[in-house]
Amino acid sequence: MPSFVQAALAVVAVLSPLVFPPASSAAETLRINGTGSGLVVVKPLTAAFQKENRGCVVVMEKSLGSSAAIKAVSRNALDLAVSSRPLKPAESVEGLVQQEWGRTPMAVLANRGVRASGVTLKELAAMYAGSSAKWPGGELVRVVLRPVEDTDTKLTRSLSPEMDRGVAAAHARKDMLVGITDNEAFDSVKKTEGAVAVMALTLALSEPNAVNVLKLDGVQPSVATLATGRYRHLKEMYLVTRKDAPASVTKFIKFLYSKKGRAVAAKHGLLITEAK
């Protein structure tokens, strides 16, 4: 059975002439893809960018995920990948470069029907472990997992030793909800009664009021609490390009770090780090 990344790369190989068309003489084309939790921030940024750069056409289709998008950049099927992980040594050898773009809170997201405003790490770990089957309001807990090797799974396990054991226990149980991509997991939280997951805040802010964003140990996840250090759980975002990236990429990245770019990103849950 091919992996998700292999399947995504197969799509890239077959559809790249259609999905990622070459730049025409009349306009610059910027082809972007990557992790779903990053693309929901890129979408409003591209809209703002294109208002100031009418000669640039941005092409961004359904999320391929970090790994598939990075591979597509190396094969010149994309110009820019938004990744939730740093490059692996082998990927750097392929002529790719990265820079840290920003950080977003890893938040506890619950279905809108859940009557709770917050949880503690201890309570959350018990939900993952299966020893706490109901929310305080009586709703049955339905944990939404990500694949074992996914970045979000690793980040969730790193929240505490109890969460590490809880996530391991959850993956060992049968009939668990598993979202292969950011978007699939987020949709499961939206649609499933009692659902809970640890995900990037950017996803919740992309659809206001679609899910409940819970306080964790009494602290509300936000760009402000992340910036001050009150909220400590985060997910990093990276920008990956080829060393010979076209001028449109350089122009777009410069916009991302501009005052306007930072403001748009912050509104959608991403705290921009300093360009290096």
Side-chain angles (χ1 to χ4, degrees):
M1 180 85 57
S3 68
F4 171 74
V5 172
Q6 290 173 324
L9 288 175
V11 172
V12 171
V14 173
L15 299 181
S16 58
L18 300 175
V19 177
F20 311 121
S24 68
S25 57
E28 295 178 289
T29 299
L30 177 57
R31 304 164 298 174
I32 305 174
N33 210 287
T35 180
S37 54
L39 294 189
V40 293
V41 183
V42 172
K43 185 176 180 180
L45 282 163
T46 56
F49 174 74
Q50 287 182 290
K51 287 182 179 180
E52 298 181 2
N53 297 271
R54 300 290 184 179
C56 186
V57 176
V58 179
V59 179
M60 189 172 69
E61 300 294 329
K62 183 178 179 180
S63 171
L64 296 172
S66 297
S67 295
I70 288 171
K71 180 59 69 175
V73 171
S74 72
R75 294 180 178 178
N76 200 24
L78 284 174
D79 300 307
L80 175 65
V82 180
S83 176
S84 61
R85 63 167 178 81
L87 287 175
K88 299 175 182 178
E91 293 168 333
S92 297
V93 172
E94 294 178 342
L96 301 180
V97 293
Q98 71 175 25
Q99 61 190 94
E100 186 177 321
W101 178 27
R103 300 173 180 181
T104 184
M106 280 295 283
V108 181
L109 308 185
N111 180 267
R112 285 290 298 170
V114 170
R115 290 168 288 175
S117 60
V119 293
T120 65
L121 269 176
K122 184 177 180 180
E123 291 169 338
L124 187 64
M127 292 177 185
Y128 272 75
S131 57
S132 179
K134 291 185 177 181
W135 289 95
E139 307 90 351
L140 289 176
V141 172
R142 293 297 306 278
V143 173
V144 179
L145 300 173
R146 300 298 303 280
V148 174
E149 294 302 318
D150 190 85
T151 297
D152 277 13
T153 298
K154 296 175 182 178
L155 291 173
T156 302
R157 296 186 72 156
S158 72
L159 294 178
S160 71
E162 292 79 14
M163 280 299 297
D164 184 32
R165 293 190 290 270
V167 173
H171 275 282
R173 300 203 305 272
K174 296 180 179 179
D175 302 321
M176 295 295 288
L177 295 172
V178 180
I180 301 300
T181 66
D182 287 343
N183 302 95
E184 285 184 12
F186 185 62
D187 284 342
S188 289
V189 174
K190 289 192 298 181
K191 298 174 182 178
T192 308
E193 292 184 7
V196 64
V198 180
M199 304 188 70
L201 180 65
T202 54
L203 291 159
L205 296 185
S206 71
E207 294 185 41
N209 301 315
V211 299
N212 281 343
V213 180
L214 305 184
K215 292 180 180 179
L216 183 57
D217 287 335
V219 182
Q220 187 72 35
S222 68
V223 168
T225 55
L226 184 64
T228 60
R230 289 188 60 223
Y231 197 87
R232 300 177 291 105
H233 313 297
L234 58 89
K235 181 177 186 177
E236 295 177 326
M237 297 286 178
Y238 298 86
L239 304 174
V240 178
T241 64
R242 295 184 305 280
K243 291 181 180 178
D244 59 347
S248 58
V249 174
T250 302
K251 187 184 299 183
F252 183 65
I253 291 178
K254 183 178 180 180
F255 174 78
L256 295 183
Y257 288 103
S258 69
K259 184 176 180 179
K260 178 178 289 188
R262 288 170 182 268
V264 172
K267 181 179 179 181
H268 291 84
L270 190 71
L271 176 65
I272 302 301
T273 50
E274 292 299 321
K276 299 178 180 178

